[in-house]
Structure formats: structure tokens, C-alpha cells
Amino acid sequence: MREHKRWVDVLKGVGISAVVISHSGHELAQHYLFWFHIPLFFMISGYLFFEKQSLNSLNRWVVKKTISLMVPYVSFGLLILGYITWKTNDFAAIPSTLESLLYGGRALGFYYGVFWFVPCLLLTQILFGYLVFFIQSKLIKIVIFMTIYVMAYLYSVSKIHTQFIMPWSMDTVLMAMTYYAIGYFFKERLTTGLNKITQLVCSVFILLVILLDYSRLLNYELDLKVNMYNHFGLDLLLPIAIVLLLIQGSKLIQSSILGAVFEKFGQASLTIMFLHVPIQIILRENISLHPLIIGVVSLLISFCAHMIFNSFLVARRVFLGKIYGTSKEKNRSYYSH
């Protein structure tokens, strides 16, 4: 067993909190948190990936990843569908909703707005796993992933993605693979941390971009779901700089009470990912609250739901995808090796 690093769960907790707040309806939060929250999860997943020593072990890993991600995808999808049907009494909409869930990607919206991420993550993990297994040269690997990044950017600029919707966000996999590769190839660097000069450079760079954007001298947006990449350099450098500082911060607070809170959120990140949007919709429909409060409340309710699911064996298997795990593995990561 490889050593579990608490700061990784803390970082995931920070990341999923950013995802939730960015969907709360607060305009500034959405704009700035989109710069890094989804790239962060792909980088974490790449960081946690380890090459398999045989094709059989790789194939077994693919099966386990598929089950651990897609079983919750289906279960939460059906759970939300049940609520929608109960609320609207519209049974005729069930087939089209099931079709959208099967197709995935940008075909999913509203209650299912973030569901695109899970199949995209799975495809990214599988493609990356087979690529690094069959291609031995590190240089060739790096060239391939640099080429993939260029392809992602050209695809976005061409606006082809506006003409049709790819199943399972296959087109987003191009950019996702780039962030995944960064987490993988810079694993040692991410583990050792940053010196003070690097921290200063990252901080100044991030603040400069924020100031330029806020003053409208720069119009920067990043949205992987809709393939919105509008700056060839910043789309890589900015998320990396932010994630590097967040890693440093996660290491600093991992032994604190705040770190423990984010660690728990990180361990519940997939459940929170699935549930926070429908919970926010329900809150907005019934209570008038500030968007940030809605974000925090939806985060806490989603976390409580995860704790309930994690307390029962059947719920753990159905909603958390922990088919292979034992009671000792209640907090196993969905992004791990």
C-alpha cells in the first residue's frame, strides 16, 4: 500500500468547496473559481496515478475505476430522476432523461449540470493509463500530451463543439488529459513543495491576472465543460500556479481543525459533486438566501448525505461505488491509483 497523504484529501476538500461555491449563483465566485477548480481535480487524479506493471493489472484497474465512478453516476442519476418525477409528475420525460444520462456531456443540464465531469474523468484516466503503458519513452509521452493540448485549443477556437455535443464530453478529454499529465509528470515536484521564491512568483502572477481581468484589460475565462479556452498560455500557467499554492496551503493546514474539515469534504467529494446542484436548486425554489449561503448550506447537506450513505453497506456500494472495499476502506479516494 502506498502512503496516504492527508494533504491530498485536504486539497480535494478545497477543490470541491470551490466547485460548490462557483455554482451558487455568485457571479464573481463563478468567474474566478472556474479558473482552477476542475483542472485541480484532473491534476490530483494524475498525481495519484501510478503506472501498471502488466496489461492484466491495467485492465483490472480500468474495471475497478469504471465501477467506482459509473455506479454512483447511475445511482445518483436515478435518485435525482425519482425526485424530479415525484415533483413534476411527468412520467413521459423519464425516457428522454435516461437517454441524456446515457449520452452524458453537455446534453446534461440543470439538476444534472455537473454530471459531465465523471464520465470525462473516467475516459481521461483510461486513455492516459493505456497511453503511458504502451509508450515507454518519457520524451514521446510528453510530446504526445503537448500535442493533445494544442489539439484541445485548436478544437476550442474552431468552434466545432458548438455544432454538436460529444457523448461523455469526449472533446473535453483533450484538455483534461493535459492537466492529468501535469499531475502525473510533476508528481515529485508537487510532493516536495515550493520554495519561497516560487510561492512569491506564483502569488504575484495570480494577482496580476486578477487585476488585469478585473480592470477589463484582460478578458479571461476557462470552462472545460463547454470547451472555453481563450488564452493558450494562461489556460496552463494560471491553473498550475493556483493549484501549486493550494497544495502548499493544504500541507500547512492539514494538521489543523480547518484541515480536518476540508479533509472530510475531500473524502466526500464525489457525493458532493453529484448532489450540490440539485440541492441548490431546491434551496433557491423554497428559500431566499444569499448565493454564498446557498453554496455553504448545499455543501453541508451534501456532506451529511455522504456520511449517511457511508454508514450503510448497501448505500456505500450503490451510491459510493465501493464494490470491492471493506469497512476499512470507507474513505477510499475515487481519484486514486
Side-chain angles (χ1 to χ4, degrees):
M1 290 289 292
R2 296 181 175 91
E3 180 185 358
H4 177 75
K5 298 179 176 65
R6 288 189 64 188
W7 67 263
V8 175
D9 282 333
V10 174
L11 181 62
K12 287 192 296 180
V14 173
I16 196 61
S17 299
V19 170
V20 173
I21 298 301
S22 73
H23 293 145
S24 67
H26 192 281
E27 192 172 326
L28 279 180
Q30 176 180 343
H31 179 67
Y32 291 112
L33 294 178
F34 265 59
W35 288 3
F36 70 89
H37 60 22
I38 295 301
L40 178 148
F41 278 103
F42 286 118
M43 289 186 207
I44 291 175
S45 192
Y47 172 83
L48 293 171
F49 175 80
F50 287 88
E51 288 187 56
K52 310 309 168 190
Q53 300 305 310
S54 69
L55 186 58
N56 283 337
S57 64
L58 176 59
N59 291 336
R60 287 195 299 271
W61 174 81
V62 167
V63 171
K64 291 180 71 173
K65 297 307 294 185
T66 301
I67 291 173
S68 66
L69 288 172
M70 295 311 295
V71 167
Y73 177 91
V74 172
S75 299
F76 280 109
L78 293 177
L79 177 66
I80 295 169
L81 176 58
Y83 168 76
I84 296 172
T85 305
W86 169 80
K87 177 187 174 185
T88 63
N89 201 33
D90 185 6
F91 290 90
I94 292 177
S96 61
T97 302
L98 291 174
E99 182 181 349
S100 295
L101 277 170
L102 181 63
Y103 197 85
R106 284 181 285 117
L108 296 168
F110 206 38
Y111 288 95
Y112 298 104
V114 296
F115 271 56
W116 71 271
F117 170 76
V118 173
C120 182
L121 173 63
L122 177 62
L123 288 178
T124 301
Q125 291 176 322
I126 292 173
L127 290 174
F128 189 93
Y130 282 111
L131 268 174
V132 298
F133 179 80
F134 286 108
I135 300 173
Q136 300 300 314
S137 169
K138 185 175 181 179
L139 178 60
I140 294 177
K141 291 175 185 176
I142 292 174
V143 170
I144 288 175
F145 291 116
M146 289 176 63
T147 304
I148 288 174
Y149 175 66
V150 174
M151 289 171 60
Y153 192 81
L154 292 176
Y155 179 80
S156 175
V157 172
S158 70
K159 303 298 181 183
I160 297 175
H161 60 280
T162 62
Q163 300 173 21
F164 60 93
I165 297 173
M166 292 287 285
W168 282 29
S169 291
M170 290 180 179
D171 44 2
T172 302
V173 170
L174 292 172
M175 183 62 81
M177 287 265 282
T178 304
Y179 295 125
Y180 197 98
I182 290 168
Y184 173 74
F185 287 115
F186 293 94
K187 193 187 302 283
E188 292 184 10
R189 182 61 176 169
L190 297 179
T191 302
T192 56
L194 306 176
N195 57 42
K196 292 184 178 180
I197 294 177
T198 306
Q199 291 179 45
L200 179 62
V201 170
C202 288
S203 300
V204 172
F205 172 62
I206 294 166
L207 287 173
L208 179 61
V209 176
I210 292 174
L211 288 172
L212 289 173
D213 180 82
Y214 190 77
S215 62
R216 301 188 183 279
L217 295 175
L218 172 70
N219 180 27
Y220 181 69
E221 292 184 86
L222 180 63
D223 189 340
L224 269 67
K225 180 181 179 179
V226 297
N227 304 113
M228 183 183 291
Y229 325 126
N230 64 1
H231 197 289
F232 187 81
L234 287 181
D235 290 341
L236 272 185
L237 296 177
L238 188 57
I240 291 173
I242 296 173
V243 170
L244 285 175
L245 289 184
L246 289 177
I247 289 174
Q248 198 70 20
S250 298
K251 291 178 179 179
L252 288 174
I253 68 170
Q254 62 181 329
S255 298
S256 67
I257 295 175
L258 181 61
V261 171
F262 279 122
E263 181 182 13
K264 291 298 183 181
F265 287 161
Q267 292 166 353
S269 58
L270 193 65
T271 302
I272 296 172
M273 182 74 78
F274 281 124
L275 288 182
H276 76 274
V277 169
I279 290 172
Q280 288 182 1
I281 293 171
I282 294 170
L283 287 172
R284 289 193 199 98
E285 290 175 344
N286 293 278
I287 310 173
S288 179
L289 294 172
H290 189 278
L292 293 181
I293 295 178
I294 287 179
V296 173
V297 173
S298 66
L299 174 65
L300 295 175
I301 294 175
S302 300
F303 173 73
C304 290
H306 175 85
M307 297 300 291
I308 294 171
F309 293 144
N310 208 27
S311 299
F312 300 95
L313 178 60
V314 174
R316 245 187 348 260
R317 290 180 172 175
V318 173
F319 290 103
L320 307 185
K322 298 180 179 181
I323 305 298
Y324 297 98
T326 65
S327 59
K328 294 181 180 180
E329 295 178 310
K330 283 187 178 183
N331 296 319
R332 175 178 58 80
S333 171
Y334 300 95
Y335 312 93
S336 65
H337 58 274

